Amino acid sequence: MDISPRYNPKEVEDKWYKFWEEKGFFHAEPNQEKNPFCIVIPPPNVTGILHMGHALNNTIQDILIRFKKMQGFNALWIPGTDHAGIATQNVVEKNLAKEGVSRQDLGREKFLEKVWQWRENYGSTIIQQLKKLGASCDWQRTCFTMDDEYSEAVLKVFVSLYEKGLIYRSNYIINWCPRCQTALSDEEAPYKEIEGKLYYIKYPLKEKNRNYVTVATTRPETMLGDTAVAVNPKDKRYKKLIGKKVILPLMEREMSIIADNMVDMDFGTGAVKVTPAHDPNDYSLGKRHKLEFINIMNPDGTMNENAGKFRNLDRFDCRHKVVDELRELGFLEKIESYTHAVGHCYRCNTIIEPYLSLQWFVKMKPLAKPAIQVVKKGKIKFFPPRWTKIYLSWMENIQDWCISRQIWWGHRLPVYYCRECQVNESQIRNPKFEKGIIVSKVKPDKCPKCGGKDIYQDEDVLDTWFSSWLWPFVTLGWPKLKSEIRSPKSEITDLDYFYPTSVLVTAQEIIFFWVARMIMAGLEFMKDIPFRHVYIHGTVRDLTGKKMSKSLGNIIDPLEIIKDFGADALRFSIISITAVGQDVFLSGEKFKLGRNFCNKIWNATRFIFANVSELTSCNVQLTENNLSFVDRWILSRLQKTIQEVTSALEKYNFNEAASLIYQFFWHEFCDWYIEIVKPIIVTGYQQPATIDRQKETTQFILIKVLETSLRLLHPLVPFITEELWQKVKEKYSNFKEESITMTSWPLCEKELINKQAEKEMEIIQEIIKGVRNIFTEMGVPLDKKMSLIFKSNEKNISFLKENSNCFENILRIESLDFGTEIEKPPFSSSLVVGNIEVYIPLEGIIDFEKEKQRIKEKLKNINTILEGIRIKLNDKNFLSQAPKEVIEKEISKREELIKEKQKWEKYLVELQE
């Protein structure tokens, strides 16, 4: 069978992906004769398109699924997408805005119809892109968090938690996005450092024994809602003022000076304004001291009627107006530059507003307690382990979760209100006894309290994460009865068989958004952990360390990389540079690694096919008698590679696995074994008389190593390995499987491990590499043939003679001499490997005078640099002032230069002998 001269991924990838799908190789059903291995995909947003973070995350998952399937596990990878409430609503609203229409113009029902239409047209884009990457998901099981069955589960969970008293409604300071006009959880409002201002404002005292108290604030516009000034009771500066009254500038409101240990005496002046409705710390102070709560802002970030004459101004315009008026009236003491951390909306990057609002919350501490224990006891393990401490720290300090969102796209709260008996919102107590509130999966016909029929549903929807925290078990059929979800092909349900799942692969930024919450939900509703292992991979960044993002213009489109280099090249490259738990620093150049390796695999296979046409059996018996030294070596290295790659994958050391198979296939198999055996298999080489009896064995080993390597490589580079494995099968086949993806993972044949052969081959490799280095450093022309002379004991000389073909086939050899008493010839270079001396005569090969002059120049330059380092390291000022790492770098540089100097001095002596 011919193999085309160049590998073209475009001709291969779509063909084989279609084949895998049509054959149903990705589908899994419960099978009690096999052990399950299950992964649930972190569901990408329905708005999403494939980015490098997705490429990394899904390549890792695909490697695990293909690896475990080949190991004999019943491997299932469950795919799906998340409805992404805020993000999707924003996309659709932007599209409507281009038509001059708002969602309010359409109304809720019509707007949701538009969202569903958008989802039908564009919501599967990322699914198709994942297929381009080679993702072996069970697409028959694709789930969407707004599917009817999924929505049913979400409502059931809400009702269940409410009935247990774990969901409640309360007025509380929440993170509010004025642009998206919705509440955000703490995790959805990440803090970013900004350059701001600290404004010092004078608050006049009502009693004239002191003129004023100065407070410092970064948000002067919120002073319009102040209801107190607070000081620390230990602060001697203000002790006599506690209980006194101040007049709020601009609003002329009388307020008290209160004392509270929460106040930081070192911030600003030590006196702080208290705005209970617009600051989380002030909210706590307001509750504790029974202060008035005054909301001065509308949901869109403009000022409301409580802001007086500043009404309808945008919050930041209001800030400027307030500052100008304070300055004009003499109440502004000073303004300082001030860098501080401010929360931003994770979707639109708008600065969030702490905002007093009536919202729905989940009590998290009762749910967190068992989720802490399962990690402490090792039932769930994090990889790398350092994330365990981070997870536990967050869980042990967990706050209640605000789950209501003021948008239309999402799971609407299963909460209904009876107008006839509803109480004032400020009187709300325990949710189990709230009058006028009905929590139900379906709208009730009448109020169970008073029988009234004037019932309406809450307008809010649930936080997107409230649905995705159920992902590991709802995707497997929960909460239907087992009899309803039993597979027709099995006596056991999907949920019983595949749950708990095996491993979750995710990014560090959603440990708290998603991972921790899934653990809590699994323990609450399944009474079991959702997964056994959590593998946290790093963040994809550019070479400067910046996170890749559209706004920075530093993204690399994975689809463009696939178009230019192929999916396998992308996969292998990104895995090769992904160290466990470390961030990935990426550039377009990095993908050449994978492209070049794929080309090497292709070309090596093509060479073997061109020279192994006479193989009649794929079952040659490998015995000591028919194996050469180099055969024993490559078979031993293959077994060691199988062991090491398997271990690396099982420990989630993906880059190590990639490095091991790369090293074996490219360097050991191609650069060494194939080069050494070429005279045996390639027509035209001058072949020894014994070649015929070696040829069949060599051909068999080439095919054996190639086919085994393709299976080792398959989880990492599935497309090219399928293409080549099918060609191997067709030409030399006794393989029964239809696809490489259905073959078994290579097992180590321990009887083929030969430590002696590996040790001896290391000696030969060291000699050959040493000779090559000398020729390179001495400037020997590439077309020159060399003579080698070996001196050692009789045992070593015998070994070297027996395997002289290793030197002859890799180096350009004119002659080889061996001896136990042989003398070093004049004008020759030398190297020592163990107790073997190797002499390389250079007379007639190089211009001695010219080479001596070149080496003297090198030594002169080295001595100059060494003298500079000596002076620097003897300088007391340098040693006392330079950072430790700078000094260590100089010492290390000195040691390297000394070794370099010794090497060139040796060469110079050899040229003068």
Side-chain angles (χ1 to χ4, degrees), residues 638-647 708 712 746-748:
L638 176 61
Q639 307 318 308
K640 287 284 190 68
T641 303
I642 291 169
Q643 281 184 330
E644 291 166 356
V645 170
T646 304
S647 175
T708 305
L712 277 177
L747 296 176
C748 173

Side-chain angles (χ1 to χ4, degrees), residues 740-801:
I740 191 172
T741 199
M742 304 306 289
T743 59
S744 61
W745 182 252
L747 296 176
C748 173
E749 299 174 67
K750 291 184 179 179
E751 67 277 9
L752 293 178
I753 293 178
N754 191 317
K755 293 181 180 179
Q756 182 65 23
E758 291 194 40
K759 186 177 179 182
E760 290 173 345
M761 187 62 183
E762 282 180 16
I763 294 170
I764 287 176
Q765 289 173 320
E766 270 196 71
I767 292 171
I768 291 172
K769 286 187 280 189
V771 170
R772 281 174 166 169
N773 285 340
I774 289 171
F775 262 52
T776 299
E777 289 170 346
M778 291 292 207
V780 176
L782 294 175
D783 59 347
K784 288 287 185 181
K785 286 192 173 184
M786 65 185 75
S787 296
L788 298 182
I789 300 167
F790 297 92
K791 179 181 180 180
S792 190
N793 57 43
E794 290 184 3
K795 181 181 177 183
N796 286 337
I797 292 298
S798 176
F799 164 71
L800 293 168
K801 282 183 178 179

Side-chain angles (χ1 to χ4, degrees), residues 644-663:
E644 291 166 356
V645 170
T646 304
S647 175
L649 289 177
E650 287 178 339
K651 293 175 181 176
Y652 307 113
N653 293 332
F654 300 102
N655 67 316
E656 182 183 336
S659 176
L660 287 164
I661 188 61
Y662 180 96
Q663 170 68 25

Side-chain angles (χ1 to χ4, degrees), residues 202-434:
K202 302 173 183 176
Y203 282 36
L205 283 160
K206 185 178 180 183
E207 298 178 11
K208 298 300 182 182
N209 60 332
R210 180 171 174 172
N211 291 332
Y212 56 83
V213 174
T214 301
V215 301
T217 180
T218 58
R219 299 160 66 214
E221 69 280 5
T222 62
M223 69 178 290
L224 305 175
D226 283 1
T227 55
V229 168
V231 297
N232 194 296
K234 298 175 184 175
D235 196 331
K236 295 177 181 178
R237 294 172 292 179
Y238 303 110
K239 222 160 195 178
K240 292 181 180 179
L241 294 180
I242 296 170
K244 304 291 185 184
K245 302 289 185 178
V246 294
I247 305 300
L248 178 63
L250 309 184
M251 302 301 285
E252 299 300 316
R253 187 161 52 243
E254 189 176 295
M255 308 185 304
S256 296
I257 298 176
I258 62 173
D260 198 287
N261 287 318
M262 179 185 282
V263 178
D264 181 358
M265 291 187 286
D266 296 324
F267 174 77
T269 63
V272 297
K273 56 192 281 305
V274 183
T275 320
H278 290 276
D279 184 275
N281 292 326
D282 293 1
Y283 174 85
S284 300
L285 282 169
K287 284 286 186 182
R288 218 165 20 251
H289 296 271
K290 297 181 173 54
L291 300 176
E292 184 182 1
F293 285 66
I294 302 175
N295 187 342
I296 57 167
M297 210 172 288
N298 295 312
D300 64 355
T302 60
M303 310 309 285
N304 65 20
E305 63 278 4
N306 293 328
K309 62 183 175 182
F310 300 99
R311 182 179 181 179
N312 295 329
L313 287 175
D314 173 78
R315 55 182 171 153
F316 297 120
D317 290 337
C318 179
R319 178 178 298 177
H320 296 307
K321 295 282 187 184
V322 164
V323 170
D324 287 346
E325 190 153 336
L326 288 170
R327 184 184 288 113
E328 188 177 325
L329 294 173
F331 292 121
L332 186 65
E333 187 172 286
K334 62 178 177 176
I335 303 174
E336 293 178 345
S337 294
Y338 186 67
T339 301
H340 59 135
V342 177
H344 289 67
C345 175
Y346 79 121
R347 282 296 172 203
C348 67
N349 205 39
T350 299
I351 292 177
I352 62 100
E353 191 66 37
Y355 194 70
L356 183 64
S357 178
L358 185 63
Q359 301 287 341
W360 288 88
F361 296 85
V362 177
K363 292 181 182 177
M364 298 302 280
K365 288 194 182 295
L367 296 171
K369 190 174 180 180
I372 291 169
Q373 291 305 310
V374 293
V375 171
K376 283 186 173 180
K377 291 177 180 178
K379 291 182 179 179
I380 295 176
K381 294 181 179 178
F382 282 83
F383 297 85
R386 71 171 185 272
W387 290 108
T388 305
K389 185 177 179 181
I390 295 167
Y391 166 87
L392 291 173
S393 175
W394 185 78
M395 291 291 278
E396 286 163 354
N397 296 282
I398 199 166
Q399 302 297 311
D400 285 356
W401 174 17
C402 178
I403 56 171
S404 45
R405 297 291 180 267
Q406 289 66 51
I407 57 176
W408 288 350
W409 172 242
H411 299 101
R412 196 165 174 181
L413 269 65
V415 176
Y416 301 86
Y417 303 97
C418 171
R419 284 193 175 91
E420 295 181 30
C421 67
Q422 192 175 24
V423 295
N424 186 283
E425 290 177 349
S426 64
Q427 296 175 317
I428 292 169
R429 299 287 191 273
N430 188 316
K432 293 185 73 173
F433 305 105
E434 287 180 20

Side-chain angles (χ1 to χ4, degrees), residues 28 77 92 104 239 278 398 436 443 559 561 588 629 723 784:
W77 185 7
V92 177
Q104 288 80 8
K239 222 160 195 178
H278 290 276
I398 199 166
K443 183 178 180 179
L559 294 176
I561 298 299
F629 153 71
E723 175 76 6
K784 288 287 185 181

Side-chain angles (χ1 to χ4, degrees), residues 484-501:
E484 294 179 289
I485 60 174
R486 181 168 293 141
S487 164
K489 299 179 182 179
S490 174
E491 291 296 318
I492 189 172
T493 68
D494 288 345
L495 201 55
D496 283 341
Y497 181 75
F498 288 111
Y499 190 92
T501 64

Side-chain angles (χ1 to χ4, degrees), residues 629-630 671-673 675-676 760-776 786 788 790 800 803-813 816 831 833 836 838 840:
F629 153 71
V630 75
D671 290 352
W672 290 99
Y673 183 75
E675 290 301 315
I676 289 171
E760 290 173 345
M761 187 62 183
E762 282 180 16
I763 294 170
I764 287 176
Q765 289 173 320
E766 270 196 71
I767 292 171
I768 291 172
K769 286 187 280 189
V771 170
R772 281 174 166 169
N773 285 340
I774 289 171
F775 262 52
T776 299
M786 65 185 75
L788 298 182
F790 297 92
L800 293 168
N803 296 290
S804 58
N805 64 310
C806 295
F807 305 107
E808 292 167 341
N809 296 346
I810 291 181
L811 299 171
R812 294 177 60 82
I813 296 296
L816 295 172
L831 67 135
V833 177
I836 299 170
V838 184
I840 307 142

